[in-house]
Amino acid sequence: MLSVTLSGSFSLLPRLNNNRRSALFFARTKRTSLVTSALTSEKVAVSQDVMADSPNLSFPILVNGVTGKMGKAVAEAAVSAGLELVPISFSSVDKPARTLEISDIEISVHGPSEREEILSSVTDKYPDVVVVDYTVPDAVNANAELYCKFGVPFVVGTTGGDRSLLYKTVQDSNVYAVISPQMGKQVVAFLAAMEIMAKQFPGAFSGYKLEVMESHQATKLDTSGTAKAVIACFQKLGAIFDMNEIQMIRDPEEQINMVGVPEEYLSGHAYHLYNLTSPDETVSFEFQHNVCGRSIYAEGSIDAAIFLHKKVQSKAENKIYDMIDVLREGNMR
């Protein structure tokens, strides 16, 4: 059973040292967190309503980065959703030609030096293909430039890279894309609520000190894009924080003992905690969202691909979207 937990609380706390407060925050929120959604590891079938609204649902989808756990999860979710998985994927490193099997489909994996030639052949054979990118941060901008060069609509699930350049590349090319630092639908809804609060109540936390911890699997090299987005909202609300102060936890021992991550999910989790303390240290607010496993992101990525395919087919005026747009569209599986 994979679960997603979101919790919010406030309390009057005495000032504690950082290490002790960190342990207390995680311990207390573990006990009081409200489970708002549970996802099993079984594949989820597309609902009849979505099928009825999407007669051309079975479009081809190319998932880049299937050699990684996230890319593989997205590819499996694509097959489960009834999409046509293109038997090709890009890797971030050049290695001899190799294949791997996903949901009984043999995928041919190609390195960066082959990307342009391979993508050209893919677009010829699958003119309505949608790409979902789960490679590595260093490849984000180069991959986006390639997709835009060929006019291929794409979903960026990879975090990192130069995001300003990414948006400019897509805008200049007039290509359809879904760009989001977070693909988990429920977490995106939380982010949307934060943005609404920041817009409607600027300065509500003026002078409050913000502390942020984010724990992910050791293989995640960059800082969480979700954490940065939430922090930006708190800053608009008046909280004091420097992005360099984010506490990134990647050590498995700390994740088990301090954060409380179940051992079976050390290789795939996202635990976030945001604590705000008033200037006189008499009031503390806590916000937490914990995710174990990758199903929430994989399913959200497929929803984004389906959404994007519909926009392309309808020749929608807007070209760049995020997961909030996907949520607003409805028909979430």
Side-chain angles (χ1 to χ4, degrees), residues 10-16 21 28 207-209 275-285:
F10 72 93
S11 61
L12 302 180
L13 295 175
R15 189 66 178 176
L16 303 176
R21 291 183 69 212
R28 190 153 64 83
Y208 273 62
K209 180 180 178 181
N275 177 267
L276 295 128
T277 305
S278 64
D280 64 0
E281 301 182 359
T282 62
V283 181
S284 177
F285 285 78

Side-chain angles (χ1 to χ4, degrees), residues 2 6 24 28 43 74-75 93 119 131 179 219 287 293 310:
L2 308 183
L6 302 177
L24 175 61
R28 190 153 64 83
K43 298 174 183 177
V74 172
V93 294
L119 188 57
V131 173
I179 303 173
T219 55
F287 298 80
K310 291 179 180 179

Side-chain angles (χ1 to χ4, degrees), residues 118-232:
I118 295 299
L119 188 57
S120 177
S121 65
V122 168
T123 55
D124 287 342
K125 185 173 182 179
Y126 307 94
D128 58 342
V129 67
V130 173
V131 173
V132 177
D133 189 290
Y134 271 102
T135 50
V136 294
D138 289 345
V140 169
N141 294 106
N143 284 350
E145 289 175 5
L146 182 65
Y147 306 147
C148 290
K149 179 178 180 178
F150 285 90
V152 179
F154 63 99
V155 176
V156 178
T158 311
T159 58
D162 186 329
R163 306 308 274 194
S164 296
L165 177 59
L166 173 62
Y167 279 97
K168 184 178 187 305
T169 299
V170 179
Q171 288 172 342
D172 291 347
S173 65
N174 206 32
V175 166
Y176 288 93
V178 173
I179 303 173
S180 177
Q182 170 61 252
M183 289 293 174
K185 294 174 286 188
Q186 291 80 6
V187 179
V188 170
F190 168 69
L191 275 172
M194 286 296 305
E195 290 180 359
I196 291 171
M197 183 167 66
K199 182 177 181 180
Q200 295 190 4
F201 308 111
F205 285 100
S206 181
Y208 273 62
K209 180 180 178 181
L210 177 64
E211 294 175 290
V212 180
M213 289 185 184
E214 56 96 334
S215 173
H216 291 77
Q217 59 276 5
T219 55
K220 181 173 174 58
L221 304 178
D222 58 325
T223 304
S224 167
T226 300
K228 291 180 179 179
V230 173
I231 290 167

Side-chain angles (χ1 to χ4, degrees), residues 58 93 294 300:
S58 188
V93 294
R294 296 179 172 83

Side-chain angles (χ1 to χ4, degrees), residues 223-266:
T223 304
S224 167
T226 300
K228 291 180 179 179
V230 173
I231 290 167
C233 291
F234 281 126
Q235 289 174 327
K236 291 176 183 177
L237 287 163
I240 302 169
F241 192 78
D242 185 318
M243 287 291 183
N244 295 322
E245 297 175 350
I246 298 174
Q247 185 175 354
M248 296 170 56
I249 300 177
R250 299 293 185 268
D251 179 70
E253 186 174 340
E254 288 185 359
Q255 290 171 340
I256 292 175
N257 297 328
M258 186 179 80
V259 183
V261 178
E263 188 171 355
E264 62 268 32
Y265 292 116
L266 288 175

Side-chain angles (χ1 to χ4, degrees), residues 67 90-100 107-111:
T67 54
F90 297 158
S91 171
S92 60
V93 294
D94 277 312
K95 290 184 177 181
R98 62 196 190 281
T99 61
L100 55 85
I107 307 294
S108 177
V109 181
H110 302 269

